[in-house]
Amino acid sequence: MLNALRKNIRSVFFKILFAILVLSFALWGVGDMVRTVAVGGAAVEVGDTAVSSQEVARRYRSELRRLQQALGGDFNSEQARAMGVPDMVVQQIVTDALLREEARSLGIAVPDESVRQRIAENEAFRNELGRYDPNRVRAILAQAGLTEAAFIEAERADAIRERLMGAVAGAVAAPTTMVETLYQFREERRVAEAVLFAAADMPTPEAPDEATLRRFHEENPQPFTAPEYRSITLVRVAPDAVAESIEIDEATLREEFEYRRDEFQRPERRQVRQIVLDSESQAQQAQNVVAIGGDLEAVANEVGGEVVDLGWVERDSLLPELEEPIFALDTGAVSEPVRSPVGWHIFAVDSVEEGDAQDFEAVREQVEAAVRRDRAIDRIYDIVNAFEDERAAGATIEEAAEALELPVTQARIDNIGRTPEGTPPEEGALPRAVVEAAFETQAGFDTGMREIDGNVFFDLRVDEVTPPRLRDFESVREEVLAEWRAEQRRRAARDAARTALERVQAGEELAAIAADFGREVEVTEPFTRQASDGAPREMVARMFELERGRATVVDLPEGAVLARLREIVPARPSAGDEALRDLRQEVARGLGNDIAMQFLAALQRSHSVTVNRTKVEEAIP
């Protein structure tokens, strides 16, 4: 859950980087990097950082819950131990502690304001109106079993680690020779001449005898096999359904509106450009230009400054010294020099957008929807707990649902959620997570309550499993005949293509051969190894194996293609090439990851690491 909360405020670079770092520890193994003891002290000690048994247990439970959501509710501690999950958790804890220790030794710190800003920018904490919502923060942390103080410190630690790893691996330059060599390989293009022999153009063969069709049915069972079906009994609890029964009085809505009033106010903002000057003498020169009606560009020309577009700004986004001077200007006006800790500023206001405030009636429906949903989510957890209590007391899924007036769905589905008729169940399409759970659970067992996206919970029982079976020949006779004919036409197309290839290899002109078969030669657009630009993917790889002028036949699902390599277009790197720039960044990221792994290896040697196995085993039973 904690990782889910942070996902919106971490860059892709750090997601990849930390995944690789954790993997590197998994590859090296805990035994290679730590000293293991069996008595006294904390569960894990890295330098001056001590990790308690309780923290190890919390991290393990969090990882176990994540795996249960991914693999199914039947996944248990015994299976987790067999997969090495306890060691993985310890490895992650050691990794975090090593980075925290190094940051402390280097004096890297993150102020409270930066942590607050980091949390405020987290999309998970925004309400339906897109505004930061402290109530949502508290609700999510409560679900995760975290206090606000603990989460703030965890975010501070994350920010510190990101700064540290960014300093280590965030500014690696990719060697030009390496990048250009890779670029030439990736961006080389080839042009082919192709003659398509489509199965659809081949004559339709006469129907074979009965014995041939029956043999084809037996030897090619897949198209004629009914999938496995599972009969399930399902209970779902979703916010939308619960919200319908929730009543909200006028006083509550108005109270919520007052609490969220800031969300419905749009502050005044201004589109601003500026010049920042270093000295008072430059500021005096600028003031003289402003005094005679000069614009910002004229000021920049006079003092040699650079005009910077700040875009739209609000009062609370500015330094205190700059608020009044900027918001006192009219559209098109240029300010006199204003001093701040950064230097001397000259501002130009290009546009003004007045603020406004929506009254209660204007946003009544939005407020009501938000309150209704919040209360529905709270009620869902009460319903789920009550349902689980009923089940724990021995009630079946149907009995527990009846006691709580929850709807029960019974359906027979395949592994993509379709009924034998090829349609979704009458109650509507099932979420993918529900279908997957149905096919992970044994007959006669239920999944237990599980949560999926959108605060939706479900419990299902698998009542019956119908294995895949080959349909009787008589019931699919027409399908067998159609498939047999399609196969014969594919073979005919491929045979024709190979005959044409023999003639090409004998020296005949490709255009003449194509004409004899009633075909035309098509010249492809230049394509790379990665992008076919309309050429069949099966053909592209083969074209990069051939010498210029050579030909081959490539089988396709719809027939075959006779292809000859016509031209090789070498890649020539140029400074403004976007693909070259992207590749340079990709190589730099890869090298940065390598450096980060070496950095962690060095940290292992410079910081003592001790794992108390007795404490760990107590924490992870």
Side-chain angles (χ1 to χ4, degrees), residues 223-294:
F224 319 115
T225 298
E228 177 181 321
Y229 285 97
R230 298 206 164 200
S231 299
I232 63 171
T233 298
L234 170 69
V235 171
R236 279 186 286 180
V237 188
D240 291 345
V242 174
E244 294 175 0
S245 63
I246 294 176
E247 296 184 1
I248 305 171
D249 58 38
E250 182 80 3
T252 300
L253 289 180
R254 290 188 176 275
E255 181 181 351
E256 186 69 14
F257 171 77
E258 291 299 329
Y259 180 76
R260 298 184 173 186
R261 179 181 287 274
D262 289 346
E263 299 176 13
F264 309 116
Q265 294 181 342
R266 187 179 65 196
E268 178 185 349
R269 62 177 190 161
R270 295 173 174 231
Q271 198 169 27
V272 177
R273 290 175 296 135
Q274 74 165 356
I275 301 171
V276 180
L277 307 175
D278 295 329
S279 67
E280 188 172 359
S281 61
Q282 285 182 308
Q284 185 60 53
Q285 285 180 271
Q287 187 170 4
N288 294 337
V289 175
V290 173
I292 60 174

Side-chain angles (χ1 to χ4, degrees), residues 188-483:
E188 176 189 311
R189 296 177 181 271
R190 300 202 169 192
V191 178
E193 299 170 302
V195 181
L196 178 64
F197 292 81
D201 296 334
M202 297 296 114
T204 302
E206 294 293 329
D209 57 37
E210 188 82 356
T212 298
L213 278 185
R214 287 184 177 275
R215 186 166 57 252
F216 185 81
H217 172 250
E218 294 172 358
E219 293 175 354
N220 301 274
Q222 185 175 357
F224 319 115
T225 298
E228 177 181 321
Y229 285 97
R230 298 206 164 200
S231 299
I232 63 171
T233 298
L234 170 69
V235 171
R236 279 186 286 180
V237 188
D240 291 345
V242 174
E244 294 175 0
S245 63
I246 294 176
E247 296 184 1
I248 305 171
D249 58 38
E250 182 80 3
T252 300
L253 289 180
R254 290 188 176 275
E255 181 181 351
E256 186 69 14
F257 171 77
E258 291 299 329
Y259 180 76
R260 298 184 173 186
R261 179 181 287 274
D262 289 346
E263 299 176 13
F264 309 116
Q265 294 181 342
R266 187 179 65 196
E268 178 185 349
R269 62 177 190 161
R270 295 173 174 231
Q271 198 169 27
V272 177
R273 290 175 296 135
Q274 74 165 356
I275 301 171
V276 180
L277 307 175
D278 295 329
S279 67
E280 188 172 359
S281 61
Q282 285 182 308
Q284 185 60 53
Q285 285 180 271
Q287 187 170 4
N288 294 337
V289 175
V290 173
I292 60 174
D295 60 16
L296 202 62
E297 281 70 23
V299 174
N301 291 334
E302 176 68 22
V303 300
E306 180 182 356
V307 177
V308 177
D309 187 354
L310 298 181
W312 289 97
V313 300
E314 299 173 4
R315 284 180 179 271
D316 60 5
S317 66
L318 298 169
L319 293 171
E321 298 88 346
L322 306 181
E323 288 183 21
E324 290 306 321
I326 289 177
F327 279 81
L329 294 174
D330 295 328
T331 301
V334 179
S335 74
E336 294 185 352
V338 180
R339 189 173 187 178
S340 81
V342 177
W344 293 85
H345 304 256
I346 309 290
F347 297 105
V349 173
D350 295 328
S351 183
V352 175
E353 187 177 274
E354 299 294 339
D356 66 3
Q358 295 175 291
D359 61 20
F360 173 74
E361 292 302 332
V363 296
R364 179 191 183 96
E365 291 185 2
Q366 295 177 2
V367 173
E368 183 174 355
V371 174
R372 194 179 295 278
R373 181 168 180 82
D374 287 344
R375 292 198 175 183
I377 291 172
D378 291 340
R379 186 172 296 182
I380 278 176
Y381 286 96
D382 294 336
I383 294 172
V384 169
N385 289 333
F387 183 89
E388 291 180 330
D389 289 343
E390 292 284 341
R391 298 282 282 123
T396 64
I397 286 179
E398 294 91 337
E399 291 168 345
E402 182 180 2
L404 297 169
E405 299 182 346
L406 300 176
V408 176
T409 298
Q410 291 186 317
R412 187 165 179 252
I413 57 172
D414 62 14
N415 64 357
I416 58 174
R418 295 179 306 188
T419 66
E421 291 73 33
T423 61
E426 291 183 6
E427 293 78 2
L430 299 177
R432 185 63 198 163
V434 172
V435 176
E436 289 175 352
F439 278 78
E440 293 167 355
T441 306
Q442 297 179 14
F445 290 84
D446 69 274
T447 61
M449 269 293 179
R450 295 187 185 181
E451 183 179 4
I452 55 179
D453 291 342
N455 294 290
V456 175
F457 289 81
F458 74 91
D459 189 3
L460 69 82
R461 182 184 64 239
V462 177
D463 299 316
E464 182 182 4
V465 175
T466 305
R469 64 174 183 83
L470 181 64
R471 295 186 177 98
D472 294 337
F473 174 77
E474 294 300 337
S475 67
V476 292
R477 190 182 192 285
E478 292 304 315
E479 296 175 39
V480 174
L481 176 58
E483 184 59 33

Side-chain angles (χ1 to χ4, degrees), residues 8 79 223 282 420 512:
N8 291 310
Q79 292 168 311
Q282 285 182 308

Side-chain angles (χ1 to χ4, degrees), residues 501 504-505 543 546-547 549-553 562-565:
L501 175 62
V504 169
Q505 292 171 335
M543 289 299 97
L546 295 182
E547 297 177 1
R550 296 288 186 177
T552 188
V553 168
L562 169 61
R564 182 167 66 185
L565 182 59

Side-chain angles (χ1 to χ4, degrees), residues 75-137:
F75 186 80
N76 55 38
S77 293
E78 184 178 344
Q79 292 168 311
R81 186 173 294 278
M83 289 176 57
V85 174
D87 281 345
M88 182 189 72
V89 170
V90 172
Q91 291 162 9
Q92 291 173 337
I93 289 172
V94 171
T95 302
D96 290 346
L98 280 169
L99 294 172
R100 190 160 56 247
E101 279 294 296
E102 185 65 11
R104 182 184 297 125
S105 68
L106 295 174
I108 297 176
V110 175
D112 292 344
E113 182 57 36
S114 295
V115 177
R116 284 194 293 269
Q117 182 67 22
R118 180 185 175 92
I119 294 173
E121 292 173 355
N122 191 331
E123 294 293 335
F125 297 147
R126 296 184 183 275
N127 58 25
E128 291 79 1
L129 302 175
R131 303 277 186 165
Y132 173 74
D133 187 347
N135 286 335
R136 188 175 292 269
V137 176

